[in-house]
Amino acid sequence: MNTLNPYSQSFVTFAVKKNQLNKCILICLLFFSGIKGLSQSEKTPDIILTISEELASNESDPEAVAEFIERLSELSENPVILNSASESEISRLFFLSDFQIKSLIDYVHSTGKILSVFEIAGIPGFDRQSVEMMIPFITLEGSPAQKKDNVRWNNNLLANLSFKPSENDTISIGSPFKLLTKYRFRAGGFSGGLTLEKDQGEKLISGIPPLPEFLSAHISYSGSGILRKVIIGDYSARFGLGTNTNSGIRTGLSLSAPGFISSRNEIKPYTSADENNFFRGVSASFSYKYIDLALFYSKNNIDASYNDTDSSADRSVKTFLSGGIHNTNSLLAKKDAVTDEAFGINLSANYKNIRLGFTWSEDRFSLPVKTDKSSTESLFDFEGTINNVYSLSYNMLIKRTMLFGELSLNDSKKSAFVQGISLRPADRLSLNFIFRNYDAGFFSFHGKGPGTGSKSENEHGITGTFTFEAAKHLFLSGGCDIYRFEWLRYRNSGPSAGIKKEIKLKFSPKETIAFDLSYNYRMLMSDGEGTKGIPVQSETVTRHGRLSFRFLLNENITLTSRLDYNIVKPSGSRGVMLLQDLSYRFRNIPLSVWLRYCLFTTDDWESRIYCYENDLLYSFSIPALSGKGSRSYIMLKYEISKHTDLRIKFGLTSFESSHEIFEEKSEIKTQFRIWF
């Protein structure tokens, strides 16, 4: 008689022990599989989720996913006018490389307007895969001038409320509800917005004077003359490759995404809910012929912890905090503890296919920063109240080759150097290489250059990626990132290294069918546990395989199946996840449904599997699944009127807390949106 292995037995057990929600979802999956009704507009959230997951696959910060989702959602509501041949307009497609942007501009100038999206695939630097990514976010009609001449007032109001009924939190000082409200308006070249947010367990109103837990606002103007943009209030900025200033999109190195990082300047209104990494003040950008100039000034309060040995009259900063959670009295005391006054300038010159740029920025902190020098790991950390960073950057297009680089230097004479090259030796093949060298001791408070860590310091590495259209409808992409930390860092008492490898195969014989197969390899070094004396470093290797299948049934209903498998060495820890998604829109009523049923089993936390989910607009959910259990959710969208909709999401995680005893954690999210 055949016997099942432990993972098969676990899956059978979970299939038998379904809770009521799981039963409902399974019945719905079977029932809806024979019904029609999903429109193209309703597929946009699925497309945004897929692209965001791909772009953020190598990010260490989960907030990067929220930033990608928000930027893509904004693009879907305000598509890029492709035939404008304007670099500032087309650059809003942030996932394109500079090579692709320049190719689009040159093509429109030389051949005239693009008449069909299928025409884009023939432009140097593009293939069908990259075009499919662009389609939801572009339009071939209109022009930026027509958009700015339209002074009709457009408004968008969104309100989110979420809570976890299964959690009984008696420690937090505030309510268990998480609240988010966003308002945006646009009229011609003017736009503005307001964001209010309160995390779970935080007080809604706090401080002196009493204010919402997090409040962000801005007003901006965009023009086509010498004055290109002015923003008053909260904004993000990025110049060059980001080693000097980058408070916007992170620049993690994706090994399989179609686009690749290159130098780009951008100032945009800040609409996210990260409470520390943004500018608050005024910024402006100007353009005259081949010269671009950007100026910015900011004075913002940020979270920090104090050194315990200091008196109240002689306080100093021990470390800056980035979590943005203030649900206890101790965390609330660290809120807005330090004032960061930042200002700077970016000057760039464009001549034909060459761009040169210079950036200077300065940060002044209201309290001195003093690190613990008794810790060898902190030997090169920043100290003081003032930090200046100077940068030179360039990019150059030579036929089918793009060269780009940046060199930054701070007051401590420590440097950050990045050099990259993107080339297209054949129509179906793209190659990218990037080298970075960040000194231990290089510090830029608002800088985040290409790399593996959250900071652009103490890292040397080289990355190579490729995309290849192996055959019609068959795409192969992948890459390798080799890096080394020359100084001590968290969980490493000596120099350490790491390797990332990834290869991905995508087959899409029809617009309604897509197969994805990927393999990831990660090697990290860390101090071994339980060793006496000097810690011995050990290597942890994680291998992750994924197979997914997406099917648009009768062009009306979307089904997605996915299988993930993790194995970690030397512990031998393993994890498996199997999920089924369904998206459906009723034909006779304005109701849309998203469903998921997921089974997972892992030996421990080390082999956990991250699983991206559809969520409310401008929101994200990436549960880390470990242990043995199931994860399910149902999300409904009801169109109350032509300009009003309501979304409700109910998620349920069931996991085995002890032998055959299951616990459940639930979550409820609601969203109301109106636009006119």
Side-chain angles (χ1 to χ4, degrees):
M1 183 175 63
N2 294 333
T3 59
L4 298 174
N5 61 48
Y7 290 95
S8 299
Q9 291 176 347
S10 299
F11 271 75
V12 171
T13 301
F14 298 139
V16 174
K17 295 180 177 291
K18 304 179 187 74
N19 51 53
Q20 291 183 353
L21 175 63
N22 294 343
K23 289 180 180 179
C24 177
I25 290 179
L26 286 177
I27 292 172
C28 290
L29 290 174
L30 295 174
F31 174 72
F32 287 136
S33 61
I35 306 177
K36 301 180 181 180
L38 186 67
S39 66
Q40 176 65 33
S41 61
E42 291 305 321
K43 291 185 291 180
T44 303
D46 299 309
I47 297 171
I48 289 176
L49 178 69
T50 301
I51 297 175
S52 300
E53 182 178 0
E54 185 173 8
L55 292 173
S57 59
N58 283 68
E59 295 286 1
S60 58
D61 183 6
E63 289 293 334
V65 185
E67 181 71 19
F68 287 129
I69 289 175
E70 182 157 341
R71 293 286 292 270
L72 292 172
S73 298
E74 290 176 357
L75 286 176
S76 67
E77 295 177 0
N78 184 26
V80 171
I81 302 173
L82 211 62
N83 282 319
S84 66
S86 166
E87 183 173 356
S88 60
E89 176 72 5
I90 298 176
S91 293
R92 293 201 295 125
L93 296 168
F94 61 91
F95 48 82
L96 295 184
S97 67
D98 278 359
F99 182 90
Q100 292 172 315
I101 291 173
K102 289 184 178 294
S103 293
L104 271 172
I105 295 172
D106 292 343
Y107 182 83
V108 174
H109 280 311
S110 61
T111 65
K113 290 186 176 182
I114 299 172
L115 302 179
S116 170
V117 292
F118 302 105
E119 191 178 341
I120 304 172
I123 301 175
F126 290 89
D127 51 32
R128 180 185 162 189
Q129 185 178 12
S130 56
V131 173
E132 289 176 349
M133 180 181 290
M134 294 169 56
I135 288 176
F137 315 112
I138 62 174
T139 177
L140 302 180
E141 301 175 355
S143 66
Q146 293 174 346
K147 184 189 298 185
K148 291 181 175 59
D149 290 340
N150 181 11
V151 295
R152 187 173 68 87
W153 195 278
N154 295 302
N155 299 269
N156 194 318
L157 175 64
L158 176 147
N160 290 359
L161 183 148
S162 61
F163 65 101
K164 300 177 180 179
S166 57
E167 294 188 3
N168 184 19
D169 188 358
T170 59
I171 301 176
S172 298
I173 59 177
S175 69
F177 297 97
K178 180 175 182 178
L179 305 174
L180 174 66
T181 300
K182 291 189 177 186
Y183 168 71
R184 293 182 303 170
F185 75 85
R186 182 180 292 109
F190 291 91
S191 65
L194 182 73
T195 301
L196 294 92
E197 191 247 12
K198 183 196 85 73
D199 289 309
Q200 182 180 359
E202 294 180 336
K203 291 182 178 179
L204 178 60
I205 304 295
S206 63
I208 302 175
L211 293 171
E213 209 290 321
F214 177 70
L215 174 64
S216 174
H218 74 273
I219 184 169
S220 69
Y221 168 76
S222 298
S224 56
I226 294 179
L227 179 60
R228 291 300 175 92
K229 182 173 289 187
V230 176
I231 303 176
I232 300 175
D234 296 343
Y235 61 92
S236 61
R238 174 190 165 187
F239 304 112
L241 286 161
T243 58
N244 185 317
T245 302
N246 179 17
S247 62
I249 286 287
R250 280 185 50 81
T251 51
L253 298 169
S254 178
L255 300 181
S256 60
F260 196 73
I261 185 65
S262 54
S263 58
R264 192 172 302 171
N265 299 333
E266 179 185 60
I267 295 177
K268 70 182 295 291
Y270 182 75
T271 58
S272 298
D274 186 324
E275 301 184 22
N276 293 283
N277 188 31
F278 64 93
F279 295 108
R280 174 165 287 177
V282 60
S283 64
S285 61
F286 308 86
S287 181
Y288 180 71
K289 293 185 178 179
Y290 304 113
I291 304 297
D292 294 326
L293 174 67
L295 306 170
F296 65 95
Y297 173 82
S298 168
K299 193 171 185 179
N300 191 21
N301 296 326
I302 56 178
D303 296 354
S305 62
Y306 302 121
N307 282 298
D308 299 331
T309 57
D310 295 340
S311 64
S312 58
D314 189 29
R315 280 184 168 176
S316 62
V317 175
K318 180 180 180 180
T319 183
F320 297 105
L321 306 177
S322 59
I325 303 295
H326 312 107
N327 56 2
T328 64
N329 288 322
S330 61
L331 290 174
L332 190 61
K334 299 172 183 178
K335 175 179 170 62
D336 298 337
V338 182
T339 299
D340 170 35
E341 186 177 14
F343 44 89
I345 180 175
N346 172 261
L347 181 65
S348 61
N350 300 275
Y351 180 72
K352 294 184 178 179
N353 291 325
I354 301 176
R355 178 192 296 157
L356 300 176
F358 168 77
T359 304
W360 163 71
S361 67
E362 179 174 304
D363 283 278
R364 294 175 177 262
F365 302 105
S366 59
L367 294 175
V369 180
K370 295 182 180 180
T371 58
D372 182 10
K373 293 304 182 183
S374 62
S375 171
T376 314
E377 180 184 332
S378 305
L379 184 63
F380 292 100
D381 287 357
F382 168 77
E383 285 193 334
T385 58
I386 299 176
N387 184 62
N388 288 273
V389 184
Y390 309 87
S391 303
L392 290 173
S393 63
Y394 84 98
N395 66 14
M396 178 187 304
L397 179 63
I398 306 174
K399 295 183 178 180
R400 292 188 166 206
T401 302
M402 171 74 74
L403 297 170
F404 54 93
E406 183 166 272
L407 173 64
S408 294
L409 191 71
N410 68 348
D411 288 335
S412 302
K413 304 297 188 296
K414 301 297 182 179
S415 64
F417 174 70
V418 181
Q419 175 60 54
I421 179 173
S422 297
L423 60 154
R424 195 172 179 87
D427 290 340
R428 294 187 175 186
L429 177 64
S430 296
L431 300 175
N432 306 283
F433 300 94
I434 189 166
F435 169 80
R436 72 267 188 194
N437 185 358
Y438 301 143
D439 289 344
F442 176 79
F443 174 78
S444 177
F445 186 72
H446 293 286
K448 289 183 292 187
T452 58
S454 58
K455 300 179 181 179
S456 301
E457 62 179 6
N458 185 30
E459 181 179 338
H460 309 272
I462 185 169
T463 304
T465 71
F466 74 93
T467 57
F468 177 52
E469 188 175 359
K472 188 176 182 180
H473 310 306
L474 182 64
F475 301 93
L476 184 65
S477 59
C480 180
D481 181 28
I482 303 173
Y483 52 93
R484 180 173 175 82
F485 305 103
E486 297 294 340
W487 190 245
L488 284 62
R489 59 194 300 266
Y490 177 65
R491 295 185 63 191
N492 286 275
S493 56
S496 57
I499 300 175
K500 297 180 181 179
K501 302 176 185 178
E502 183 174 341
I503 189 165
K504 182 177 181 180
L505 184 67
K506 181 177 181 179
F507 179 56
S508 182
K510 298 180 180 179
E511 294 183 2
T512 58
I513 300 176
F515 294 90
D516 287 279
L517 178 64
S518 64
Y519 170 77
N520 294 269
Y521 173 94
R522 300 286 186 272
M523 188 280 287
L524 295 174
M525 296 178 64
S526 60
D527 291 344
E529 298 181 358
T531 58
K532 298 180 179 180
I534 300 176
V536 177
Q537 289 187 324
S538 60
E539 296 183 356
T540 300
V541 176
T542 303
R543 294 179 173 87
H544 178 215
R546 175 184 300 172
L547 173 64
S548 64
F549 169 67
R550 184 182 295 266
F551 179 45
L552 185 63
L553 182 63
N554 298 326
E555 300 184 355
N556 293 295
I557 193 166
T558 302
L559 295 170
T560 303
S561 302
R562 174 175 150 184
L563 173 65
D564 286 62
Y565 180 77
N566 258 359
I567 182 169
V568 183
K569 296 290 185 179
S571 66
S573 177
R574 302 186 182 192
V576 181
M577 183 194 72
L578 178 65
L579 70 80
Q580 177 64 56
D581 283 351
L582 179 143
S583 301
Y584 170 74
R585 177 180 172 85
F586 288 88
R587 300 177 62 182
N588 299 322
I589 56 175
L591 179 66
S592 304
V593 183
W594 290 266
L595 299 168
R596 167 169 292 182
Y597 179 60
C598 169
L599 294 171
F600 61 89
T601 174
T602 72
D603 290 336
D604 49 39
W605 176 254
E606 194 175 35
S607 56
R608 65 192 179 276
I609 298 176
Y610 290 94
C611 187
Y612 292 72
E613 293 183 357
N614 269 309
D615 213 298
L616 309 179
L617 285 176
Y618 307 113
S619 299
F620 72 101
S621 179
I622 321 173
L625 306 177
S626 66
K628 299 179 181 180
S630 64
R631 167 69 181 173
S632 307
Y633 71 79
I634 177 169
M635 185 168 70
L636 306 176
K637 172 190 171 184
Y638 182 74
E639 299 174 11
I640 301 173
S641 67
K642 184 178 180 180
H643 300 288
T644 309
D645 64 41
L646 175 68
R647 293 175 187 245
I648 300 176
K649 179 181 179 181
F650 177 65
L652 184 65
T653 303
S654 175
F655 61 95
E656 186 178 2
S657 58
S658 60
H659 183 62
E660 295 186 350
I661 298 178
F662 286 78
E663 293 184 7
E664 294 182 345
K665 291 185 176 181
S666 58
E667 182 181 32
I668 299 176
K669 297 182 178 182
T670 62
Q671 180 181 86
F672 176 78
R673 186 170 70 113
I674 181 171
W675 64 98
F676 53 90

